[in-house]
Amino acid sequence: MLKLRLKRCGRKQRAVYRIVAIDVRSRREGKDLQKVGFYDPIKNQTYLNVPAILYFLERGAQLTETVQDIFKKAWDFKELRPNQRKFN
């Protein structure tokens, strides 16, 4: 199973995070499948690769709570709410 979660980067006392698609059995700094975003909590900057995020979510990737909160702050994920069904 895949998850979209944070991967810590940066230096001591100055953490920045990459949002990555990674297997749930991997450790935090483990090998990721793809980098799909960037989050800097100190400068409060966020970069999201929306097509890549949608690609992994359509294939069943789960979001961690922290990544879900970052997405909610970045923009409205109306079409990706878990209780809402997609009709074609």
Side-chain angles (χ1 to χ4, degrees):
M1 177 162 53
L2 292 175
K3 277 202 174 189
L4 295 179
R5 67 183 187 196
L6 296 177
K7 185 174 186 178
R8 191 177 195 277
C9 302
R11 57 185 175 177
K12 187 168 53 174
Q13 300 296 320
R14 182 67 179 90
V16 292
Y17 298 93
R18 288 186 182 142
I19 302 170
V20 296
I22 194 166
D23 187 30
V24 294
R25 296 169 290 187
S26 297
R27 57 194 177 96
R28 184 183 70 185
E29 268 69 5
K31 179 133 175 81
D32 53 76
L33 298 174
Q34 184 177 358
K35 297 172 184 80
V36 296
F38 174 83
Y39 174 62
D40 186 352
I42 296 173
K43 293 182 181 178
N44 201 18
Q45 292 179 339
T46 306
Y47 166 76
L48 300 173
N49 184 353
V50 178
I53 292 168
L54 293 176
Y55 172 81
F56 284 110
L57 289 176
E58 288 173 355
R59 278 145 186 81
Q62 303 277 321
L63 298 174
T64 61
E65 290 180 19
T66 309
V67 171
Q68 194 170 11
D69 291 341
I70 292 169
F71 287 172
K72 285 180 184 176
K73 288 179 186 176
W75 90 92
D76 193 30
F77 257 105
K78 289 180 185 174
E79 70 273 6
L80 298 176
R81 290 192 184 129
N83 296 334
Q84 184 179 7
R85 294 184 181 171
K86 293 183 180 179
F87 296 99
N88 293 333

